Each structure stands twice: as C-alpha cells, then as structure tokens.
Amino acid sequence: MPAAGREYLTAMLDALVYENLLVAWRRMPLGGYMIVSHEGEEIRLTAQQADMWTRGAFAVYLALVDQRRIRPRIPGDTAPN
C-alpha cells in the first residue's frame, strides 16, 4: 500500500476510534492491522482487508450522521442537533 494510502487508512481508523466506533487499532508486522471492537474482538487484517473494512465502516458512520441517527464529536462544534 502506498504511503498516501496508509495515511488515509490511518486517518479513518483514528476517526473511528475518536468517534467511539472502535476501541483501538494498531499496525501489525508485515503491513497488517489489528482492529479491536467494543466486544473485545481482535480482528487481524491484511492492509488491503483493513482498507476495505475501514472504508465500509466509515461509510456506515457517515450514513448514520447524515440520517441524524448519531451526532459526530467534532471538536468545537456547537451546532444543535
């Protein structure tokens, strides 16, 4: 995965953790990733799998925000629901 792709993936994973959709994530040896769910499940993925999984999770997150079912935790956001 190119460096720009890794940075994009890292940013999306960080946002999912910040928004409390994931507990944690970390890079694994050989370019893999581990994602920790709220159920305590450790999901080990290749870089390509992590990219696809994260894009899907982020799309669901954005859809829920768009439908106003959840509210993002954007720092400094004071807009009412």
Side-chain angles (χ1 to χ4, degrees):
M1 176 179 290
R6 278 193 305 272
E7 289 177 19
Y8 186 68
L9 176 58
T10 297
M12 285 194 301
L13 286 167
D14 284 343
L16 291 172
V17 170
Y18 180 79
E19 293 293 338
N20 202 26
L21 297 166
L22 290 177
V23 172
W25 70 273
R26 68 178 175 170
R27 286 196 183 108
M28 299 296 292
L30 304 174
Y33 290 81
M34 180 184 296
I35 296 170
V36 182
S37 73
H38 282 283
E39 291 78 29
E41 184 178 6
E42 295 181 348
I43 306 163
R44 295 173 190 262
L45 303 167
T46 65
Q48 292 78 18
Q49 290 170 329
D51 182 58
M52 183 181 296
W53 187 93
T54 304
R55 288 175 190 261
F58 207 78
V60 169
Y61 164 72
L62 292 176
L64 291 171
V65 169
D66 189 48
Q67 295 170 5
R68 297 178 186 254
R69 295 179 71 187
I70 61 173
R71 183 168 181 210
R73 297 176 30 190
I74 300 170
D77 182 22
T78 59
N81 268 346

